[in-house]
Amino acid sequence: VDLNADVGESYGAWTLGDDEAVLDVVTSANVACGFHAGDPLTLLRTVTAAAARGVVVGAQVSYPDLVGFGRRDMDLAPEQVTADVLYQLGALAGIARAAGTAVAYLKPHGALYSRAARDRATAAAVAEAVRRYDPALPVLLLAGSPGLAAVAATGLTAVGECFADRAYTADGRLLSRREPGAVLTDPDEVAARAVRMATGGEVVAVDGSVVRLDARSLCLHGDTPGAAGLARRVRAALEAAGVRLAPFAPSATFRRS
Amino acid sequence: VDLNADVGESYGAWTLGDDEAVLDVVTSANVACGFHAGDPLTLLRTVTAAAARGVVVGAQVSYPDLVGFGRRDMDLAPEQVTADVLYQLGALAGIARAAGTAVAYLKPHGALYSRAARDRATAAAVAEAVRRYDPALPVLLLAGSPGLAAVAATGLTAVGECFADRAYTADGRLLSRREPGAVLTDPDEVAARAVRMATGGEVVAVDGSVVRLDARSLCLHGDTPGAAGLARRVRAALEAAGVRLAPFAPSATFRRS
Amino acid sequence: VDLNADVGESYGAWTLGDDEAVLDVVTSANVACGFHAGDPLTLLRTVTAAAARGVVVGAQVSYPDLVGFGRRDMDLAPEQVTADVLYQLGALAGIARAAGTAVAYLKPHGALYSRAARDRATAAAVAEAVRRYDPALPVLLLAGSPGLAAVAATGLTAVGECFADRAYTADGRLLSRREPGAVLTDPDEVAARAVRMATGGEVVAVDGSVVRLDARSLCLHGDTPGAAGLARRVRAALEAAGVRLAPFAPSATFRRS
Amino acid sequence: VDLNADVGESYGAWTLGDDEAVLDVVTSANVACGFHAGDPLTLLRTVTAAAARGVVVGAQVSYPDLVGFGRRDMDLAPEQVTADVLYQLGALAGIARAAGTAVAYLKPHGALYSRAARDRATAAAVAEAVRRYDPALPVLLLAGSPGLAAVAATGLTAVGECFADRAYTADGRLLSRREPGAVLTDPDEVAARAVRMATGGEVVAVDGSVVRLDARSLCLHGDTPGAAGLARRVRAALEAAGVRLAPFAPSATFRRS
């Protein structure tokens, strides 16, 4: 299984998360692209740090909402979504190229992630950007979601992910962050869920039912206090359970055409 | 000689210039990259329109100053300049790739242009971004300027440009826009200057002296009222004088590596 | 009846609308506050021009979405809406105070207007800002809307407005701009509708039914081509019909406490 | 003497400084106004927390440079500076009014502070905004600077401040942050300098000479690690030396006109 987490989410004078520590744990790094976080210099340093560790770089694209950290739903026209994704994807690709690596996949962030997961039209608008930019680029989205199916339907590589520290509803959706208990913080519980997800492909939902998950990647959070410690704990549990950790996307090194 | 002009400088609900008309005249288009103008959807439409006409696309990178249209000098650290240029260059390259073309050169905008032209350290910070992104990419800057020499000294292709509608000082610098007479508006005068620049490699400065210009491109302005008409007038005068118009950078079509 | 229109919607190098011409026609000016349009210098000039004509100044507050001109719905928490409104209201009040006038009412813009008109919770979040800032300040919103009722329920002065150049549904809502025929452009038709609204308090909906409107203000648009001409046409028609034009809010001059 | 520090410099998801702890120590709070930091909700919470403690609120106005935290010099026209200051001053005043308090003074931030301190024209552009907004509002700026004199020359109340944790040159300027030793971090040394400044009105410059300071306020920094602890240490040392701490501006409660 692949382990992914968000990095590059500092902005100018503001620091968020402990990217160095997170990059030591994950196999894939969702790097912000400037619309919800990530000034250019932060991105250059983050991508350089990822490349130095052989961590695969993905573009984490967002709605243009810096003050809301991309977490507030916005009603964009599909062609605005496509253009915004292209812009961010290219921007991070430029940064990555300068760091001797390349963007190897795309993952929406925050409210764009939620909407793309549940709304096929939004997923299609995101996929359209990827298709026009590079149809070989995988898209990472919530395992089992309508949006992931919509991405796959366009012919792109659609990779499902699951969340060891998020509560699931019985129908396989994430419980909204606005609900109590949406985010799990007990390290043992999170680690145990990660192992069951990676080895059994399933998770226990909030109502006690068992939900099947078809996920090739497991998302860890990097922006909560103690996130890096929790990530290390999950990785150790997975390795102890004999799970082989590897990126889902080929480790891309930029090659001149 | 090459004819270049700024396009893609609308932003959301705000329209600036008549890009379609300008693209009908020039051989190279300096497309904004979002920091001084140019939202992603505008950029996608602009680059598509340029590609449809075979106009070569350049990235017009700026200080991050939307409200000041990139025209106000800012004191950035060199590594901030480099990262900002990489981000913008990549963003436009992503847009261009989706439009079936590619970014073929880079040109700084506004206050970054002015500072890069006069200050070798700023020029070097810009050049560093280009070198790391693609050392084959030419940089367009004021003919005869210290900055252009600094770019050339890094080993990059440094292309000089001149301005038929701007007044020059005796030492070959542009008269500041804050000075009266800095911008020429008489079509006949501008056209005549363009022909002399293209055929004789010289311009008459504000003190009446003749200044030598080593320029492979001639910049037309697209954002003034009647700009497209003036551009057509200049092009017609150049063609009447037997000047062959062609882009200085190879018309780039994106090729998969 | 009062005539209101949007002004101050230029931004830096980008000009939108013909504010001087619009200010010659209206009795109340909805001045942008920087979140969807209106840089500080533009606002200072606009408010100064309004004050010089005795036009009453209102704060037109928006979601923070410059690139989308505040026209894209955003999902903000109520306390974010309240704080955003307070910030914008205060900003324009500061500008107005320097121009020797004051903000005399508040009107939401674009997507915030639409949501506040249909959603009582959003209207209440806007009203909460006004109540905390100055409970004597009227709020201008769509006549007959649930949001207007919600504002009135807080004890604030809620003023209804109607649109002579927008199509109405049979239940008194504006037809979405995404629908064909949503915006009327025939000057005679718009003028005739304005007169019927002002004298009869009614409008003919898209299905031919007659809708009652309880409106003390009539909104004219300033950002469409020919907007100023249409506004003059409407004003002339109203005056010819004997309608007395006057601002609904007292013309406020700033008084030191 | 007055103790002032910067607060309200978080932004959306990003937290900076420990405002609650700092507000427990100072007598005056320089609250960000959104141009370099401080989203509206953060500002509302910060001003509310200041008001609850009886801490006087000042508007800390900046160049519009969020990504650079207002620390990068920008070349604005004087009327842009004036309009930008008015906008920010009003915005914070609106927030303060909702919190039952008022803005009692103005202090420039970062690069605008530096330029206003050394450049009389910039100081005058800032002062012009204050004069037009409320000529009774004091302006806080570097003690002994040309800018402070320029503010005083306009007839406004110009209040000098000094920095216990910053190195001074022999001519009374702050050593640039780019120089080594510009910021002092040893608590004992900072406390001792604060006491000498408050009781003796002098500081030892980097060359060993003694510089006279005419300062009614002492600035503490809130954004460095351990800032709140250092602030408490300084306050304790001042109180132990018998210095009476009080705001220089009257604690303003908003009064309806």
mmCIF file of all heavy atoms in Angstrom, chain A residues 172-204:
data_model
loop_
_atom_site.group_PDB
_atom_site.id
_atom_site.type_symbol
_atom_site.label_atom_id
_atom_site.label_comp_id
_atom_site.label_asym_id
_atom_site.label_seq_id
_atom_site.Cartn_x
_atom_site.Cartn_y
_atom_site.Cartn_z
ATOM 1 N N GLY A 172 -19.933 4.265 3.160
ATOM 2 C CA GLY A 172 -18.570 4.448 2.674
ATOM 3 C C GLY A 172 -18.124 5.879 2.481
ATOM 4 O O GLY A 172 -17.056 6.136 1.913
ATOM 5 N N ARG A 173 -18.916 6.822 2.958
ATOM 6 C CA ARG A 173 -18.480 8.210 2.876
ATOM 7 C C ARG A 173 -17.785 8.616 4.178
ATOM 8 O O ARG A 173 -17.972 7.979 5.215
ATOM 9 C CB ARG A 173 -19.679 9.138 2.610
ATOM 10 C CG ARG A 173 -20.233 8.987 1.180
ATOM 11 C CD ARG A 173 -21.437 9.898 0.932
ATOM 12 N NE ARG A 173 -22.548 9.527 1.793
ATOM 13 C CZ ARG A 173 -22.984 10.253 2.821
ATOM 14 N NH1 ARG A 173 -22.417 11.411 3.107
ATOM 15 N NH2 ARG A 173 -24.000 9.843 3.561
ATOM 16 N N LEU A 174 -16.986 9.678 4.085
ATOM 17 C CA LEU A 174 -16.363 10.190 5.310
ATOM 18 C C LEU A 174 -17.413 10.961 6.106
ATOM 19 O O LEU A 174 -18.193 11.718 5.526
ATOM 20 C CB LEU A 174 -15.211 11.145 4.972
ATOM 21 C CG LEU A 174 -14.029 10.540 4.218
ATOM 22 C CD1 LEU A 174 -12.981 11.615 3.943
ATOM 23 C CD2 LEU A 174 -13.407 9.396 5.025
ATOM 24 N N LEU A 175 -17.406 10.792 7.402
ATOM 25 C CA LEU A 175 -18.271 11.597 8.253
ATOM 26 C C LEU A 175 -17.757 13.040 8.186
ATOM 27 O O LEU A 175 -16.540 13.279 8.267
ATOM 28 C CB LEU A 175 -18.207 11.076 9.701
ATOM 29 C CG LEU A 175 -19.258 11.634 10.663
ATOM 30 C CD1 LEU A 175 -20.663 11.193 10.257
ATOM 31 C CD2 LEU A 175 -18.973 11.176 12.094
ATOM 32 N N SER A 176 -18.688 13.981 8.039
ATOM 33 C CA SER A 176 -18.282 15.385 7.925
ATOM 34 C C SER A 176 -17.480 15.831 9.141
ATOM 35 O O SER A 176 -17.762 15.438 10.269
ATOM 36 C CB SER A 176 -19.523 16.273 7.783
ATOM 37 O OG SER A 176 -19.171 17.625 7.985
ATOM 38 N N ARG A 177 -16.480 16.661 8.874
ATOM 39 C CA ARG A 177 -15.658 17.195 9.962
ATOM 40 C C ARG A 177 -16.492 17.999 10.961
ATOM 41 O O ARG A 177 -16.030 18.276 12.066
ATOM 42 C CB ARG A 177 -14.571 18.126 9.400
ATOM 43 C CG ARG A 177 -13.352 17.423 8.849
ATOM 44 C CD ARG A 177 -12.418 18.453 8.186
ATOM 45 N NE ARG A 177 -11.257 17.816 7.588
ATOM 46 C CZ ARG A 177 -10.117 17.595 8.221
ATOM 47 N NH1 ARG A 177 -9.975 17.946 9.485
ATOM 48 N NH2 ARG A 177 -9.101 17.011 7.607
ATOM 49 N N ARG A 178 -17.670 18.406 10.538
ATOM 50 C CA ARG A 178 -18.515 19.183 11.451
ATOM 51 C C ARG A 178 -19.190 18.279 12.483
ATOM 52 O O ARG A 178 -19.761 18.760 13.456
ATOM 53 C CB ARG A 178 -19.567 19.961 10.654
ATOM 54 C CG ARG A 178 -18.940 20.985 9.724
ATOM 55 C CD ARG A 178 -19.981 21.797 8.959
ATOM 56 N NE ARG A 178 -19.298 22.706 8.036
ATOM 57 C CZ ARG A 178 -19.901 23.523 7.197
ATOM 58 N NH1 ARG A 178 -21.218 23.549 7.152
ATOM 59 N NH2 ARG A 178 -19.219 24.314 6.393
ATOM 60 N N GLU A 179 -19.164 16.951 12.245
ATOM 61 C CA GLU A 179 -19.790 16.012 13.176
ATOM 62 C C GLU A 179 -18.790 15.635 14.260
ATOM 63 O O GLU A 179 -17.586 15.524 14.004
ATOM 64 C CB GLU A 179 -20.216 14.740 12.426
ATOM 65 C CG GLU A 179 -21.183 14.994 11.286
ATOM 66 C CD GLU A 179 -22.541 15.470 11.777
ATOM 67 O OE1 GLU A 179 -22.971 15.004 12.859
ATOM 68 O OE2 GLU A 179 -23.153 16.321 11.112
ATOM 69 N N PRO A 180 -19.296 15.408 15.486
ATOM 70 C CA PRO A 180 -18.393 14.934 16.541
ATOM 71 C C PRO A 180 -17.866 13.540 16.196
ATOM 72 O O PRO A 180 -18.586 12.735 15.602
ATOM 73 C CB PRO A 180 -19.294 14.901 17.783
ATOM 74 C CG PRO A 180 -20.704 14.878 17.263
ATOM 75 C CD PRO A 180 -20.671 15.595 15.954
ATOM 76 N N GLY A 181 -16.631 13.295 16.533
ATOM 77 C CA GLY A 181 -16.053 11.983 16.271
ATOM 78 C C GLY A 181 -15.605 11.790 14.843
ATOM 79 O O GLY A 181 -15.234 10.681 14.444
ATOM 80 N N ALA A 182 -15.616 12.847 14.047
ATOM 81 C CA ALA A 182 -15.242 12.712 12.636
ATOM 82 C C ALA A 182 -13.759 12.388 12.481
ATOM 83 O O ALA A 182 -13.365 11.679 11.564
ATOM 84 C CB ALA A 182 -15.584 13.990 11.874
ATOM 85 N N VAL A 183 -12.958 12.927 13.376
ATOM 86 C CA VAL A 183 -11.514 12.693 13.310
ATOM 87 C C VAL A 183 -11.064 11.873 14.519
ATOM 88 O O VAL A 183 -11.331 12.246 15.666
ATOM 89 C CB VAL A 183 -10.740 14.034 13.260
ATOM 90 C CG1 VAL A 183 -9.230 13.781 13.224
ATOM 91 C CG2 VAL A 183 -11.163 14.853 12.046
ATOM 92 N N LEU A 184 -10.420 10.744 14.246
ATOM 93 C CA LEU A 184 -9.933 9.877 15.328
ATOM 94 C C LEU A 184 -8.527 10.301 15.724
ATOM 95 O O LEU A 184 -7.698 10.601 14.859
ATOM 96 C CB LEU A 184 -9.913 8.418 14.878
ATOM 97 C CG LEU A 184 -11.286 7.739 14.730
ATOM 98 C CD1 LEU A 184 -12.015 8.214 13.495
ATOM 99 C CD2 LEU A 184 -11.105 6.238 14.714
ATOM 100 N N THR A 185 -8.270 10.285 17.010
ATOM 101 C CA THR A 185 -6.962 10.767 17.457
ATOM 102 C C THR A 185 -6.191 9.730 18.274
ATOM 103 O O THR A 185 -5.005 9.911 18.516
ATOM 104 C CB THR A 185 -7.127 12.043 18.311
ATOM 105 O OG1 THR A 185 -8.071 11.758 19.356
ATOM 106 C CG2 THR A 185 -7.633 13.207 17.473
ATOM 107 N N ASP A 186 -6.862 8.655 18.669
ATOM 108 C CA ASP A 186 -6.154 7.645 19.453
ATOM 109 C C ASP A 186 -5.186 6.869 18.551
ATOM 110 O O ASP A 186 -5.616 6.205 17.590
ATOM 111 C CB ASP A 186 -7.163 6.676 20.087
ATOM 112 C CG ASP A 186 -6.465 5.580 20.862
ATOM 113 O OD1 ASP A 186 -5.739 5.887 21.818
ATOM 114 O OD2 ASP A 186 -6.608 4.398 20.468
ATOM 115 N N PRO A 187 -3.884 6.955 18.837
ATOM 116 C CA PRO A 187 -2.891 6.347 17.939
ATOM 117 C C PRO A 187 -3.096 4.847 17.741
ATOM 118 O O PRO A 187 -2.967 4.343 16.624
ATOM 119 C CB PRO A 187 -1.559 6.634 18.654
ATOM 120 C CG PRO A 187 -1.832 7.819 19.517
ATOM 121 C CD PRO A 187 -3.250 7.683 19.956
ATOM 122 N N ASP A 188 -3.404 4.127 18.817
ATOM 123 C CA ASP A 188 -3.590 2.681 18.688
ATOM 124 C C ASP A 188 -4.759 2.356 17.772
ATOM 125 O O ASP A 188 -4.681 1.478 16.909
ATOM 126 C CB ASP A 188 -3.832 2.057 20.071
ATOM 127 C CG ASP A 188 -2.565 2.069 20.918
ATOM 128 O OD1 ASP A 188 -1.460 2.099 20.319
ATOM 129 O OD2 ASP A 188 -2.673 2.055 22.156
ATOM 130 N N GLU A 189 -5.861 3.106 17.950
ATOM 131 C CA GLU A 189 -7.043 2.857 17.132
ATOM 132 C C GLU A 189 -6.751 3.167 15.665
ATOM 133 O O GLU A 189 -7.107 2.396 14.769
ATOM 134 C CB GLU A 189 -8.205 3.730 17.639
ATOM 135 C CG GLU A 189 -9.515 3.413 16.928
ATOM 136 C CD GLU A 189 -10.644 4.325 17.388
ATOM 137 O OE1 GLU A 189 -10.381 5.250 18.190
ATOM 138 O OE2 GLU A 189 -11.785 4.116 16.932
ATOM 139 N N VAL A 190 -6.096 4.303 15.447
ATOM 140 C CA VAL A 190 -5.793 4.694 14.062
ATOM 141 C C VAL A 190 -4.879 3.661 13.408
ATOM 142 O O VAL A 190 -5.099 3.252 12.263
ATOM 143 C CB VAL A 190 -5.152 6.104 14.020
ATOM 144 C CG1 VAL A 190 -4.682 6.452 12.613
ATOM 145 C CG2 VAL A 190 -6.144 7.150 14.530
ATOM 146 N N ALA A 191 -3.862 3.205 14.157
ATOM 147 C CA ALA A 191 -2.931 2.219 13.606
ATOM 148 C C ALA A 191 -3.649 0.911 13.289
ATOM 149 O O ALA A 191 -3.432 0.289 12.237
ATOM 150 C CB ALA A 191 -1.781 1.988 14.591
ATOM 151 N N ALA A 192 -4.528 0.502 14.191
ATOM 152 C CA ALA A 192 -5.259 -0.748 13.974
ATOM 153 C C ALA A 192 -6.155 -0.658 12.752
ATOM 154 O O ALA A 192 -6.256 -1.595 11.946
ATOM 155 C CB ALA A 192 -6.090 -1.082 15.216
ATOM 156 N N ARG A 193 -6.822 0.500 12.593
ATOM 157 C CA ARG A 193 -7.672 0.694 11.409
ATOM 158 C C ARG A 193 -6.838 0.678 10.138
ATOM 159 O O ARG A 193 -7.252 0.131 9.109
ATOM 160 C CB ARG A 193 -8.421 2.028 11.506
ATOM 161 C CG ARG A 193 -9.540 2.013 12.540
ATOM 162 C CD ARG A 193 -10.026 3.425 12.833
ATOM 163 N NE ARG A 193 -10.817 4.013 11.758
ATOM 164 C CZ ARG A 193 -12.144 3.938 11.667
ATOM 165 N NH1 ARG A 193 -12.824 3.274 12.579
ATOM 166 N NH2 ARG A 193 -12.782 4.518 10.686
ATOM 167 N N ALA A 194 -5.660 1.282 10.196
ATOM 168 C CA ALA A 194 -4.785 1.307 9.018
ATOM 169 C C ALA A 194 -4.406 -0.109 8.595
ATOM 170 O O ALA A 194 -4.432 -0.451 7.407
ATOM 171 C CB ALA A 194 -3.529 2.128 9.319
ATOM 172 N N VAL A 195 -4.059 -0.919 9.580
ATOM 173 C CA VAL A 195 -3.666 -2.298 9.264
ATOM 174 C C VAL A 195 -4.836 -3.067 8.658
ATOM 175 O O VAL A 195 -4.698 -3.775 7.655
ATOM 176 C CB VAL A 195 -3.140 -3.014 10.530
ATOM 177 C CG1 VAL A 195 -2.955 -4.503 10.274
ATOM 178 C CG2 VAL A 195 -1.824 -2.379 10.994
ATOM 179 N N ARG A 196 -6.036 -2.895 9.236
ATOM 180 C CA ARG A 196 -7.205 -3.604 8.702
ATOM 181 C C ARG A 196 -7.537 -3.121 7.290
ATOM 182 O O ARG A 196 -7.915 -3.900 6.412
ATOM 183 C CB ARG A 196 -8.395 -3.374 9.637
ATOM 184 C CG ARG A 196 -9.617 -4.182 9.228
ATOM 185 C CD ARG A 196 -10.593 -4.328 10.357
ATOM 186 N NE ARG A 196 -11.787 -5.060 9.944
ATOM 187 C CZ ARG A 196 -12.841 -5.254 10.731
ATOM 188 N NH1 ARG A 196 -12.833 -4.798 11.978
ATOM 189 N NH2 ARG A 196 -13.895 -5.923 10.284
ATOM 190 N N MET A 197 -7.385 -1.822 7.063
ATOM 191 C CA MET A 197 -7.616 -1.289 5.716
ATOM 192 C C MET A 197 -6.633 -1.882 4.719
ATOM 193 O O MET A 197 -7.004 -2.278 3.610
ATOM 194 C CB MET A 197 -7.446 0.245 5.724
ATOM 195 C CG MET A 197 -8.624 0.995 6.346
ATOM 196 S SD MET A 197 -8.232 2.758 6.549
ATOM 197 C CE MET A 197 -9.865 3.402 6.951
ATOM 198 N N ALA A 198 -5.349 -1.937 5.114
ATOM 199 C CA ALA A 198 -4.307 -2.357 4.177
ATOM 200 C C ALA A 198 -4.316 -3.866 3.951
ATOM 201 O O ALA A 198 -4.023 -4.327 2.845
ATOM 202 C CB ALA A 198 -2.935 -1.907 4.691
ATOM 203 N N THR A 199 -4.651 -4.614 4.977
ATOM 204 C CA THR A 199 -4.593 -6.072 4.833
ATOM 205 C C THR A 199 -5.956 -6.660 4.490
ATOM 206 O O THR A 199 -6.054 -7.622 3.734
ATOM 207 C CB THR A 199 -4.082 -6.729 6.132
ATOM 208 O OG1 THR A 199 -4.963 -6.388 7.210
ATOM 209 C CG2 THR A 199 -2.675 -6.243 6.465
ATOM 210 N N GLY A 200 -7.034 -6.062 5.036
ATOM 211 C CA GLY A 200 -8.356 -6.634 4.813
ATOM 212 C C GLY A 200 -9.212 -5.843 3.843
ATOM 213 O O GLY A 200 -10.256 -6.328 3.400
ATOM 214 N N GLY A 201 -8.789 -4.639 3.532
ATOM 215 C CA GLY A 201 -9.587 -3.821 2.623
ATOM 216 C C GLY A 201 -10.935 -3.450 3.200
ATOM 217 O O GLY A 201 -11.933 -3.377 2.484
ATOM 218 N N GLU A 202 -10.980 -3.180 4.506
ATOM 219 C CA GLU A 202 -12.263 -2.830 5.111
ATOM 220 C C GLU A 202 -12.087 -1.921 6.318
ATOM 221 O O GLU A 202 -10.985 -1.791 6.872
ATOM 222 C CB GLU A 202 -13.019 -4.113 5.513
ATOM 223 C CG GLU A 202 -12.249 -4.990 6.474
ATOM 224 C CD GLU A 202 -12.913 -6.343 6.725
ATOM 225 O OE1 GLU A 202 -13.543 -6.873 5.782
ATOM 226 O OE2 GLU A 202 -12.808 -6.858 7.856
ATOM 227 N N VAL A 203 -13.200 -1.289 6.720
ATOM 228 C CA VAL A 203 -13.200 -0.387 7.869
ATOM 229 C C VAL A 203 -14.540 -0.531 8.585
ATOM 230 O O VAL A 203 -15.550 -0.853 7.951
ATOM 231 C CB VAL A 203 -12.968 1.075 7.426
ATOM 232 C CG1 VAL A 203 -14.162 1.621 6.648
ATOM 233 C CG2 VAL A 203 -12.680 1.977 8.620
ATOM 234 N N VAL A 204 -14.524 -0.300 9.894
ATOM 235 C CA VAL A 204 -15.772 -0.334 10.657
ATOM 236 C C VAL A 204 -16.382 1.067 10.656
ATOM 237 O O VAL A 204 -15.735 2.028 11.068
ATOM 238 C CB VAL A 204 -15.521 -0.813 12.106
ATOM 239 C CG1 VAL A 204 -16.824 -0.782 12.908
ATOM 240 C CG2 VAL A 204 -14.929 -2.214 12.098
#
